[in-house]
Structures are given as C-alpha cells and as structure tokens.
Amino acid sequence: MSEKQPLLSGPPYPGNPQGQPQYPGTQGQPPYPYPSAQGQQPYPPAQGQQPYPPAQGQQPYPPAQGQQPYSPPSGQSPYPAAGGATPGYQSGYPAATSGNHVDTPTWQGEVPDDDPDENPNVQPPSATAPPLEKMDQFSGYENMEGTPLQPPPSYNEALHSQPPQSQDMATRVPVVSEEQARNALLDHVSQNCCFGSKPANELIFTNILPSSAFHYSLESYTEKRSTKWAYEPYHGQVIDGSFNGVAPSPWDIEARPPALFQSHTVNMEVPHTASVKPCHDCIGLGRKRCYNCHGRGRTRCHSCHGHGHSTHYINGHHERRHCHFCHGHGRKRCFVCNGHGHTACHTCNARGQLKCFIRLTIEWIVHHDDHVVERTSLPDELIRTVSGETVFKQELPRVWPINHFPDVNINEASKNLVQRHLTGFQAERIIMQRHKVRVIPVANIHCHWNNNSFSYFVYGFEHKVHAPDYPQQCCCGCTLL
C-alpha cells in the first residue's frame, strides 16, 4: 500500500445512501440509521412517532421504514460505562485503556493523504458548547450570555421607614502615659533589628499630644444573578423539561445565603429547562476522528522521520541501521487511538447525547467603603489596621446616613457613601447594610535624646508605634545596642 493512499478506501457501512458513517448492527440486522440520513428525523421524532424518552416497552428511537431498530451486540451495553474506562464496541470502537490495538483503522471518513508526524506532546481537544441557536426558548431567558440580570424593583419596606433616633456618640478615649509610650517604643524597637534600643531607654519626654482619629465604614450585602446555557453528557439522569411546567423567572427562584456579609456563589439548574439533544460535536456518534493521526491510525516516526532507518558514522564510514523505535517501518501505530483512527468524543464523553439546561449563578457580594478622619501626619492606612472604641453601629436592610456625629466630616462621608451604595449596584439587589464609627486614640509623642529632638506616634488600643524619625536606625544589618 502506498503512503499517499488512504488506509480505508472501501465502501462505508451498508444502508447509508449518502456515504455517512453509521453504527453497525448486530449480526443479521441492518445498521442503525445515521441521524441525518435521508428521510429520517430521529431528533425530534417524526409525526406520529413516540418522543424521547420512550414509554415502557418501546424503542428509544423509531427505525426507518423497513429497518430493524438498533440493538447492541450480545453482552454489551448500548452506551459506554460511566466513569473510568470506556468499553469498546464490536465495530472497533477503541477502549479508553491501553490494549485493544488494531492494524487497520475503522474510521470511515475524511483522512489526509499521508501519515502525519508523530507528536508526543499532542493535547486532546477541549469540549465545546452547543450552538445557542439550537437551544430551546424560554420566556424571561432571552439574555443567555452570562451577563448580570437586572433585579426587580425593590419592595423593601425599609425604604419607607423613618430615620433612627439620635444616639449618644461620646468620643472619650484613653490617654497614653509616659510609661506606656516608652514601653510601646521599646516593643517597636525590639521588632526591628536595625533599630538601636539606647534612645528608647534614655529619651526625655517633652510633650504628649493626645488626639482621636475617626474611622467610618459602610458595608452593603448584595445579590447578583446571571443565567447561561450549560450542558453535560447524558447518561440517563432525570430530565426536568418544559413538559413539567413553565420555567420560573430568574428572580422568582428562592435562594438564601449561608450567612450575612459573607461572599458566596452557588450554581443551580433552572427548573423545567432541561432537554436531551444529540451531541453537536460528534453528531450523535459518540466518537470523532483522532486528533493525533487524523483518522489514519498511524503516524510518521519522529525518530527516523519516516525513513525506517538512521545513518551513523562509525570507524570512518557511514552505516545504515534500522530505527529501533519503529522497527524499520518508518510508521508507528497511533498511541492515542491505538490504531483505530477515532477516539471518544470529549464533549459528550462518548455518550452521543447531551443534557442541556439553563444554569442560574447566584453571587452574594460584600461591598465595603470607608473614610478616615485623622488630622496628624499619621498615615490613614494605619488607622484601619488597629482597634478602637465603636461609638456607633447600625444594621438595617437600608441604613440612613449619619447626621449627628460631632465631627462634620464623618456626617458628610456617611451621606456620600450611603448614596453611592444605593445607586452604584444597578444589577444587584441589596439584602442588608451596616455601618459603624470607630474612635481610635492617637498620641503624638515629642521627646529629646542626645541633643536631638524627634517625635513618634502611639495609636490604637494595641499601642502600635509609627516612628519614621527614630534617631538610631540602620538598614545595613549593623548591631546597635
């Protein structure tokens, strides 16, 4: 046989006037008709025929006129086993496990004129989604691109409630003493290897200026929903289709978050939207042309480049030796399909059918904004990381802006952030909101050491220290005592 001649030049399986591949029948039976054979409509059934799934005692798909229905060979299942290895059909369907080698490929279809080069790094094709134009139509699910759905108008009674009464927001905070300020600095120095401890031990305090920083925070817990077509191999699972009723709208499906103010995502099948369709990737066959050998069942040896031999220079002259990888043939059996020329379809997992349904994705999201009021040179981000006294806290479906805090900057920040959250998440439904105000003590310590004046900050209930001007610090790994 010439290398340029296709491996399979014989006629296709009998009973197919269009030359398309079919599943061969058992001995003495005509083959099962190809789904697109002339005059046959397995999907959906022709008028007067039973739809899928079949009633008890009926065949799953009506055969063509004058033909017997397809039945699997004796002792074999009509579908491959779920999970793990896929048993082969008697027609030469390759098993997923090693073995079951053949020398003559069984793929009946288009193949290249020459054996392709062997590619040890070849990757199987990824599964593909069915085309949207072949999916069923459901009212309320016209946008199926996975974009967020617009929520329904809010019906929360909290929007019509009265603002809460004013609360006492006293801003009393503890004052840092000299002993506490020195101990805080010593602890800070011990955590920095490049800081010397001598200034912290010998410094003289000149002034301690106490102040308070205010930290306002607002959290909105929202729900976002999106829909998208999904699919999975059909292996006999229950189908909840439109025959069970009308599909509910996306926002009518009840779902509750596991806990408030915790991000979470769930996926669920929309009721009454499932259906069984033939796999678009393999046209319902359950198998496809091998992606490595392209149906020829063999590949060109990558060691000898298809020559069957290699030339070696030994003792001053050239010697030709048989390639030990292909045993001198120049070709090797395809390691992907074991020589069959076709592999299991990755989209339907060799089932030939897909369960298609609408998948609803629900996301619970926590949106957080805050504002810090701090009038010293202490960086604002440091205020967010320490604890303080919570003087105001409120949790409602819709919070009202704070308007009675002693510092007008907090009142203004609360008004702006609340308005931003009410209008900033148009594609999400607000479930709950909460906001609070914390007062963080800040002490600006002025001191003197070795004819040098410097200052540092002690802030938070943890007595954290910020001392960028500490007089004895080094970044060269020196040991300072």
Side-chain angles (χ1 to χ4, degrees), residues 330-356:
R331 302 294 188 271
K332 297 173 62 177
R333 182 187 292 112
C334 177
F335 68 91
V336 173
C337 64
N338 294 330
H340 291 268
H342 54 85
T343 60
C345 176
H346 290 79
T347 300
C348 64
N349 196 22
R351 303 289 179 173
Q353 295 175 299
L354 296 175
K355 173 189 174 183
C356 300

PDB file of all heavy atoms in Angstrom, residues 330-356:
ATOM      1  N   GLY A 330       9.193   2.930   9.633  1.00  0.00           N
ATOM      2  CA  GLY A 330       9.010   4.353   9.360  1.00  0.00           C
ATOM      3  C   GLY A 330       7.696   4.896   9.855  1.00  0.00           C
ATOM      4  O   GLY A 330       7.469   6.104   9.837  1.00  0.00           O
ATOM      5  N   ARG A 331       6.779   4.016  10.244  1.00  0.00           N
ATOM      6  CA  ARG A 331       5.470   4.400  10.750  1.00  0.00           C
ATOM      7  C   ARG A 331       5.221   3.690  12.074  1.00  0.00           C
ATOM      8  O   ARG A 331       5.757   2.603  12.328  1.00  0.00           O
ATOM      9  CB  ARG A 331       4.357   4.043   9.756  1.00  0.00           C
ATOM     10  CG  ARG A 331       4.507   4.663   8.370  1.00  0.00           C
ATOM     11  CD  ARG A 331       4.364   6.180   8.449  1.00  0.00           C
ATOM     12  NE  ARG A 331       4.317   6.793   7.130  1.00  0.00           N
ATOM     13  CZ  ARG A 331       5.376   7.193   6.450  1.00  0.00           C
ATOM     14  NH1 ARG A 331       6.593   6.996   6.956  1.00  0.00           N
ATOM     15  NH2 ARG A 331       5.250   7.766   5.279  1.00  0.00           N
ATOM     16  N   LYS A 332       4.402   4.306  12.918  1.00  0.00           N
ATOM     17  CA  LYS A 332       4.047   3.721  14.206  1.00  0.00           C
ATOM     18  C   LYS A 332       2.537   3.797  14.385  1.00  0.00           C
ATOM     19  O   LYS A 332       1.882   4.702  13.871  1.00  0.00           O
ATOM     20  CB  LYS A 332       4.742   4.464  15.354  1.00  0.00           C
ATOM     21  CG  LYS A 332       6.250   4.393  15.325  1.00  0.00           C
ATOM     22  CD  LYS A 332       6.869   5.285  16.383  1.00  0.00           C
ATOM     23  CE  LYS A 332       6.476   4.856  17.776  1.00  0.00           C
ATOM     24  NZ  LYS A 332       7.137   5.694  18.810  1.00  0.00           N
ATOM     25  N   ARG A 333       2.023   2.802  15.114  1.00  0.00           N
ATOM     26  CA  ARG A 333       0.603   2.840  15.438  1.00  0.00           C
ATOM     27  C   ARG A 333       0.328   4.046  16.321  1.00  0.00           C
ATOM     28  O   ARG A 333       1.080   4.343  17.249  1.00  0.00           O
ATOM     29  CB  ARG A 333       0.176   1.563  16.142  1.00  0.00           C
ATOM     30  CG  ARG A 333      -1.308   1.515  16.470  1.00  0.00           C
ATOM     31  CD  ARG A 333      -1.679   0.315  17.315  1.00  0.00           C
ATOM     32  NE  ARG A 333      -1.546  -0.935  16.580  1.00  0.00           N
ATOM     33  CZ  ARG A 333      -0.641  -1.856  16.836  1.00  0.00           C
ATOM     34  NH1 ARG A 333       0.253  -1.652  17.811  1.00  0.00           N
ATOM     35  NH2 ARG A 333      -0.582  -2.962  16.135  1.00  0.00           N
ATOM     36  N   CYS A 334      -0.742   4.767  16.061  1.00  0.00           N
ATOM     37  CA  CYS A 334      -1.085   5.962  16.829  1.00  0.00           C
ATOM     38  C   CYS A 334      -1.305   5.580  18.286  1.00  0.00           C
ATOM     39  O   CYS A 334      -2.101   4.683  18.596  1.00  0.00           O
ATOM     40  CB  CYS A 334      -2.331   6.622  16.251  1.00  0.00           C
ATOM     41  SG  CYS A 334      -2.893   8.059  17.192  1.00  0.00           S
ATOM     42  N   PHE A 335      -0.609   6.266  19.191  1.00  0.00           N
ATOM     43  CA  PHE A 335      -0.705   5.920  20.602  1.00  0.00           C
ATOM     44  C   PHE A 335      -1.963   6.487  21.245  1.00  0.00           C
ATOM     45  O   PHE A 335      -2.313   6.109  22.360  1.00  0.00           O
ATOM     46  CB  PHE A 335       0.531   6.445  21.350  1.00  0.00           C
ATOM     47  CG  PHE A 335       0.620   7.937  21.430  1.00  0.00           C
ATOM     48  CD1 PHE A 335       0.080   8.630  22.506  1.00  0.00           C
ATOM     49  CD2 PHE A 335       1.243   8.664  20.426  1.00  0.00           C
ATOM     50  CE1 PHE A 335       0.168  10.012  22.579  1.00  0.00           C
ATOM     51  CE2 PHE A 335       1.336  10.038  20.500  1.00  0.00           C
ATOM     52  CZ  PHE A 335       0.798  10.719  21.573  1.00  0.00           C
ATOM     53  N   VAL A 336      -2.646   7.388  20.565  1.00  0.00           N
ATOM     54  CA  VAL A 336      -3.871   7.975  21.116  1.00  0.00           C
ATOM     55  C   VAL A 336      -5.066   7.065  20.868  1.00  0.00           C
ATOM     56  O   VAL A 336      -5.840   6.774  21.787  1.00  0.00           O
ATOM     57  CB  VAL A 336      -4.115   9.377  20.516  1.00  0.00           C
ATOM     58  CG1 VAL A 336      -5.470   9.922  20.958  1.00  0.00           C
ATOM     59  CG2 VAL A 336      -3.009  10.334  20.933  1.00  0.00           C
ATOM     60  N   CYS A 337      -5.245   6.613  19.655  1.00  0.00           N
ATOM     61  CA  CYS A 337      -6.420   5.797  19.307  1.00  0.00           C
ATOM     62  C   CYS A 337      -6.087   4.326  19.150  1.00  0.00           C
ATOM     63  O   CYS A 337      -6.968   3.526  18.774  1.00  0.00           O
ATOM     64  CB  CYS A 337      -7.057   6.318  18.026  1.00  0.00           C
ATOM     65  SG  CYS A 337      -6.000   6.172  16.552  1.00  0.00           S
ATOM     66  N   ASN A 338      -4.829   3.918  19.414  1.00  0.00           N
ATOM     67  CA  ASN A 338      -4.405   2.522  19.288  1.00  0.00           C
ATOM     68  C   ASN A 338      -4.625   1.963  17.882  1.00  0.00           C
ATOM     69  O   ASN A 338      -4.840   0.770  17.706  1.00  0.00           O
ATOM     70  CB  ASN A 338      -5.133   1.644  20.302  1.00  0.00           C
ATOM     71  CG  ASN A 338      -4.764   1.971  21.730  1.00  0.00           C
ATOM     72  OD1 ASN A 338      -3.653   2.401  21.991  1.00  0.00           O
ATOM     73  ND2 ASN A 338      -5.696   1.793  22.645  1.00  0.00           N
ATOM     74  N   GLY A 339      -4.599   2.854  16.886  1.00  0.00           N
ATOM     75  CA  GLY A 339      -4.712   2.412  15.509  1.00  0.00           C
ATOM     76  C   GLY A 339      -6.119   2.431  14.959  1.00  0.00           C
ATOM     77  O   GLY A 339      -6.317   2.161  13.770  1.00  0.00           O
ATOM     78  N   HIS A 340      -7.119   2.767  15.755  1.00  0.00           N
ATOM     79  CA  HIS A 340      -8.500   2.752  15.276  1.00  0.00           C
ATOM     80  C   HIS A 340      -8.814   3.939  14.370  1.00  0.00           C
ATOM     81  O   HIS A 340      -9.704   3.858  13.538  1.00  0.00           O
ATOM     82  CB  HIS A 340      -9.462   2.764  16.465  1.00  0.00           C
ATOM     83  CG  HIS A 340      -9.448   1.492  17.252  1.00  0.00           C
ATOM     84  ND1 HIS A 340     -10.309   0.449  17.007  1.00  0.00           N
ATOM     85  CD2 HIS A 340      -8.673   1.091  18.292  1.00  0.00           C
ATOM     86  CE1 HIS A 340     -10.072  -0.534  17.861  1.00  0.00           C
ATOM     87  NE2 HIS A 340      -9.078  -0.166  18.655  1.00  0.00           N
ATOM     88  N   GLY A 341      -8.127   5.053  14.574  1.00  0.00           N
ATOM     89  CA  GLY A 341      -8.400   6.228  13.763  1.00  0.00           C
ATOM     90  C   GLY A 341      -9.448   7.147  14.346  1.00  0.00           C
ATOM     91  O   GLY A 341      -9.692   8.214  13.799  1.00  0.00           O
ATOM     92  N   HIS A 342     -10.093   6.749  15.430  1.00  0.00           N
ATOM     93  CA  HIS A 342     -11.098   7.607  16.058  1.00  0.00           C
ATOM     94  C   HIS A 342     -11.019   7.438  17.562  1.00  0.00           C
ATOM     95  O   HIS A 342     -10.553   6.420  18.084  1.00  0.00           O
ATOM     96  CB  HIS A 342     -12.511   7.302  15.545  1.00  0.00           C
ATOM     97  CG  HIS A 342     -12.902   5.852  15.674  1.00  0.00           C
ATOM     98  ND1 HIS A 342     -13.432   5.321  16.818  1.00  0.00           N
ATOM     99  CD2 HIS A 342     -12.815   4.828  14.789  1.00  0.00           C
ATOM    100  CE1 HIS A 342     -13.679   4.039  16.644  1.00  0.00           C
ATOM    101  NE2 HIS A 342     -13.306   3.710  15.418  1.00  0.00           N
ATOM    102  N   THR A 343     -11.475   8.467  18.289  1.00  0.00           N
ATOM    103  CA  THR A 343     -11.442   8.483  19.745  1.00  0.00           C
ATOM    104  C   THR A 343     -12.810   8.877  20.278  1.00  0.00           C
ATOM    105  O   THR A 343     -13.689   9.326  19.523  1.00  0.00           O
ATOM    106  CB  THR A 343     -10.395   9.478  20.268  1.00  0.00           C
ATOM    107  OG1 THR A 343     -10.715  10.790  19.797  1.00  0.00           O
ATOM    108  CG2 THR A 343      -8.997   9.101  19.786  1.00  0.00           C
ATOM    109  N   ALA A 344     -12.975   8.705  21.564  1.00  0.00           N
ATOM    110  CA  ALA A 344     -14.227   9.091  22.202  1.00  0.00           C
ATOM    111  C   ALA A 344     -14.401  10.602  22.142  1.00  0.00           C
ATOM    112  O   ALA A 344     -13.451  11.367  22.274  1.00  0.00           O
ATOM    113  CB  ALA A 344     -14.241   8.617  23.662  1.00  0.00           C
ATOM    114  N   CYS A 345     -15.616  11.046  21.935  1.00  0.00           N
ATOM    115  CA  CYS A 345     -15.926  12.469  21.888  1.00  0.00           C
ATOM    116  C   CYS A 345     -15.777  13.054  23.292  1.00  0.00           C
ATOM    117  O   CYS A 345     -16.370  12.546  24.257  1.00  0.00           O
ATOM    118  CB  CYS A 345     -17.347  12.687  21.371  1.00  0.00           C
ATOM    119  SG  CYS A 345     -17.870  14.404  21.374  1.00  0.00           S
ATOM    120  N   HIS A 346     -15.000  14.108  23.423  1.00  0.00           N
ATOM    121  CA  HIS A 346     -14.759  14.717  24.722  1.00  0.00           C
ATOM    122  C   HIS A 346     -15.936  15.570  25.195  1.00  0.00           C
ATOM    123  O   HIS A 346     -16.061  15.844  26.385  1.00  0.00           O
ATOM    124  CB  HIS A 346     -13.490  15.574  24.677  1.00  0.00           C
ATOM    125  CG  HIS A 346     -12.236  14.772  24.561  1.00  0.00           C
ATOM    126  ND1 HIS A 346     -11.815  14.232  23.363  1.00  0.00           N
ATOM    127  CD2 HIS A 346     -11.320  14.398  25.489  1.00  0.00           C
ATOM    128  CE1 HIS A 346     -10.681  13.577  23.565  1.00  0.00           C
ATOM    129  NE2 HIS A 346     -10.361  13.657  24.834  1.00  0.00           N
ATOM    130  N   THR A 347     -16.770  15.988  24.292  1.00  0.00           N
ATOM    131  CA  THR A 347     -17.902  16.824  24.681  1.00  0.00           C
ATOM    132  C   THR A 347     -18.993  16.016  25.358  1.00  0.00           C
ATOM    133  O   THR A 347     -19.517  16.411  26.397  1.00  0.00           O
ATOM    134  CB  THR A 347     -18.464  17.558  23.458  1.00  0.00           C
ATOM    135  OG1 THR A 347     -17.443  18.396  22.888  1.00  0.00           O
ATOM    136  CG2 THR A 347     -19.666  18.413  23.837  1.00  0.00           C
ATOM    137  N   CYS A 348     -19.339  14.864  24.794  1.00  0.00           N
ATOM    138  CA  CYS A 348     -20.411  14.038  25.356  1.00  0.00           C
ATOM    139  C   CYS A 348     -19.877  12.830  26.103  1.00  0.00           C
ATOM    140  O   CYS A 348     -20.672  11.985  26.544  1.00  0.00           O
ATOM    141  CB  CYS A 348     -21.369  13.586  24.260  1.00  0.00           C
ATOM    142  SG  CYS A 348     -20.615  12.489  23.016  1.00  0.00           S
ATOM    143  N   ASN A 349     -18.561  12.714  26.232  1.00  0.00           N
ATOM    144  CA  ASN A 349     -17.949  11.583  26.926  1.00  0.00           C
ATOM    145  C   ASN A 349     -18.371  10.257  26.298  1.00  0.00           C
ATOM    146  O   ASN A 349     -18.667   9.282  26.985  1.00  0.00           O
ATOM    147  CB  ASN A 349     -18.302  11.611  28.423  1.00  0.00           C
ATOM    148  CG  ASN A 349     -17.412  10.711  29.249  1.00  0.00           C
ATOM    149  OD1 ASN A 349     -16.305  10.375  28.833  1.00  0.00           O
ATOM    150  ND2 ASN A 349     -17.894  10.292  30.403  1.00  0.00           N
ATOM    151  N   ALA A 350     -18.410  10.231  24.974  1.00  0.00           N
ATOM    152  CA  ALA A 350     -18.736   9.043  24.178  1.00  0.00           C
ATOM    153  C   ALA A 350     -20.184   8.619  24.335  1.00  0.00           C
ATOM    154  O   ALA A 350     -20.546   7.519  23.915  1.00  0.00           O
ATOM    155  CB  ALA A 350     -17.808   7.877  24.515  1.00  0.00           C
ATOM    156  N   ARG A 351     -21.051   9.464  24.885  1.00  0.00           N
ATOM    157  CA  ARG A 351     -22.455   9.107  25.047  1.00  0.00           C
ATOM    158  C   ARG A 351     -23.272   9.376  23.795  1.00  0.00           C
ATOM    159  O   ARG A 351     -24.287   8.733  23.564  1.00  0.00           O
ATOM    160  CB  ARG A 351     -23.059   9.892  26.217  1.00  0.00           C
ATOM    161  CG  ARG A 351     -22.339   9.690  27.544  1.00  0.00           C
ATOM    162  CD  ARG A 351     -22.579   8.323  28.079  1.00  0.00           C
ATOM    163  NE  ARG A 351     -21.881   8.105  29.346  1.00  0.00           N
ATOM    164  CZ  ARG A 351     -22.026   7.024  30.092  1.00  0.00           C
ATOM    165  NH1 ARG A 351     -22.820   6.059  29.689  1.00  0.00           N
ATOM    166  NH2 ARG A 351     -21.355   6.872  31.208  1.00  0.00           N
ATOM    167  N   GLY A 352     -22.896  10.365  23.038  1.00  0.00           N
ATOM    168  CA  GLY A 352     -23.658  10.699  21.845  1.00  0.00           C
ATOM    169  C   GLY A 352     -24.789  11.677  22.114  1.00  0.00           C
ATOM    170  O   GLY A 352     -25.384  12.190  21.165  1.00  0.00           O
ATOM    171  N   GLN A 353     -25.107  11.934  23.378  1.00  0.00           N
ATOM    172  CA  GLN A 353     -26.200  12.820  23.732  1.00  0.00           C
ATOM    173  C   GLN A 353     -25.770  13.765  24.848  1.00  0.00           C
ATOM    174  O   GLN A 353     -24.908  13.431  25.662  1.00  0.00           O
ATOM    175  CB  GLN A 353     -27.430  12.020  24.184  1.00  0.00           C
ATOM    176  CG  GLN A 353     -28.041  11.160  23.075  1.00  0.00           C
ATOM    177  CD  GLN A 353     -29.168  10.316  23.602  1.00  0.00           C
ATOM    178  OE1 GLN A 353     -28.960   9.488  24.493  1.00  0.00           O
ATOM    179  NE2 GLN A 353     -30.355  10.528  23.093  1.00  0.00           N
ATOM    180  N   LEU A 354     -26.408  14.925  24.883  1.00  0.00           N
ATOM    181  CA  LEU A 354     -26.123  15.931  25.894  1.00  0.00           C
ATOM    182  C   LEU A 354     -27.400  16.336  26.611  1.00  0.00           C
ATOM    183  O   LEU A 354     -28.470  16.420  25.993  1.00  0.00           O
ATOM    184  CB  LEU A 354     -25.500  17.188  25.266  1.00  0.00           C
ATOM    185  CG  LEU A 354     -24.140  17.045  24.603  1.00  0.00           C
ATOM    186  CD1 LEU A 354     -23.753  18.352  23.933  1.00  0.00           C
ATOM    187  CD2 LEU A 354     -23.077  16.647  25.615  1.00  0.00           C
ATOM    188  N   LYS A 355     -27.280  16.542  27.899  1.00  0.00           N
ATOM    189  CA  LYS A 355     -28.356  17.172  28.648  1.00  0.00           C
ATOM    190  C   LYS A 355     -28.081  18.673  28.664  1.00  0.00           C
ATOM    191  O   LYS A 355     -27.077  19.123  29.190  1.00  0.00           O
ATOM    192  CB  LYS A 355     -28.410  16.637  30.080  1.00  0.00           C
ATOM    193  CG  LYS A 355     -29.406  17.368  30.955  1.00  0.00           C
ATOM    194  CD  LYS A 355     -29.289  16.971  32.418  1.00  0.00           C
ATOM    195  CE  LYS A 355     -30.189  17.814  33.301  1.00  0.00           C
ATOM    196  NZ  LYS A 355     -30.045  17.488  34.745  1.00  0.00           N
ATOM    197  N   CYS A 356     -28.968  19.453  28.088  1.00  0.00           N
ATOM    198  CA  CYS A 356     -28.828  20.900  28.032  1.00  0.00           C
ATOM    199  C   CYS A 356     -29.840  21.537  28.984  1.00  0.00           C
ATOM    200  O   CYS A 356     -30.991  21.114  29.053  1.00  0.00           O
ATOM    201  CB  CYS A 356     -29.055  21.412  26.606  1.00  0.00           C
ATOM    202  SG  CYS A 356     -27.897  20.731  25.390  1.00  0.00           S
TER     203      CYS A 356
END
